[in-house]
């Protein structure tokens, strides 16, 4: 199904020689709360429409071996989207139309990731102090 990945593990992948969009991709399933910052290069696939578009996402990412999902906290939307995606992708693999892959969920979501890495432009982009500048997010 899926496993969890820590913010440090994702940062290590992003800073390695792995190529985004080829070796890994990050899928952010936040809806309106996407504004205010994101993991660099993340694709926004809003949870409110995720089920309708999951097959398009699988088609676009079926050659990518590592797919990381998250939402704000990765407690509900991120894990749910990862489960739906993993089921669709596993079916493709079972039909011989996919490569071996891993589906991961970012533990703590964007909230924890930005708290640690918001000042690193290799990891976070579009960060807004107006959205995340409250002390509880540091």
């Amino acid at each position: 199904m899926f496993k969890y990945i820590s913010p440090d593990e994702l940062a290590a992948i992003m800073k390695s020689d792995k190529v985004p969009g080829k070796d890994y991709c990050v899928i952010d399933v936040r809806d309106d709360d996407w504004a205010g910052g994101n993991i660099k290069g993340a694709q926004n696939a809003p949870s409110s429409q995720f089920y309708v578009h999951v097959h398009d996402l699988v088609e676009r990412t079926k050659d990518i071996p590592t797919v990381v999902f998250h939402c704000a906290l990765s407690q509900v939307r991120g894990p749910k989207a990862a489960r739906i995606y993993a089921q669709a992708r596993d079916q493709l693999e079972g039909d011989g139309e996919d490569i071996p892959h891993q589906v991961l969920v970012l533990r703590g979501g964007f909230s924890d990731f930005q708290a640690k890495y918001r000042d690193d432009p290799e990891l976070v982009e579009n960060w807004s102090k107006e959205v995340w500048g409250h002390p509880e997010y540091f």
Side-chain angles (χ1 to χ4, degrees):
M1 195 59 90
F2 65 82
K3 296 179 182 176
Y4 283 88
I5 184 173
S6 73
D8 290 340
E9 290 168 321
L10 177 57
I13 289 171
M14 293 175 70
K15 289 192 171 231
S16 73
D17 60 355
K18 294 191 183 295
V19 178
K22 181 181 177 202
D23 298 316
Y24 73 93
C25 68
V26 178
I27 308 297
D28 185 333
V29 297
R30 291 179 292 160
D31 297 286
D32 292 343
D33 51 338
W34 161 263
N38 55 275
I39 293 174
K40 187 170 183 176
Q43 301 175 40
N44 185 229
S47 66
S48 61
Q49 302 169 8
F50 190 82
Y51 193 76
V52 175
H53 299 289
V54 67
H55 293 290
D56 294 333
L57 180 62
V58 168
E59 187 60 34
R60 289 193 322 267
T61 59
K62 69 181 182 181
D63 295 324
I64 301 173
T66 300
V67 181
V68 181
F69 284 83
H70 76 87
C71 58
L73 301 172
S74 290
Q75 292 179 350
V76 178
R77 294 175 294 175
K80 181 178 179 181
R83 179 185 53 77
I84 293 167
Y85 175 89
Q87 289 173 340
R89 186 119 180 223
D90 287 348
Q91 182 163 353
L92 269 186
E93 188 175 13
D95 294 342
E97 299 175 17
D98 193 10
I99 62 170
H101 59 274
Q102 57 180 345
V103 177
L104 305 171
V105 174
L106 177 62
R107 190 173 304 284
F110 184 69
S111 182
D112 283 2
F113 195 85
Q114 69 81 30
K116 188 164 191 177
Y117 297 113
R118 68 181 171 272
D119 294 326
D120 187 335
E122 292 182 62
L123 300 174
V124 174
E125 59 189 2
N126 306 314
W127 189 83
S128 169
K129 186 172 184 174
E130 290 76 34
V131 174
W132 296 100
H134 303 288
E136 66 267 21
Y137 294 120
F138 294 143

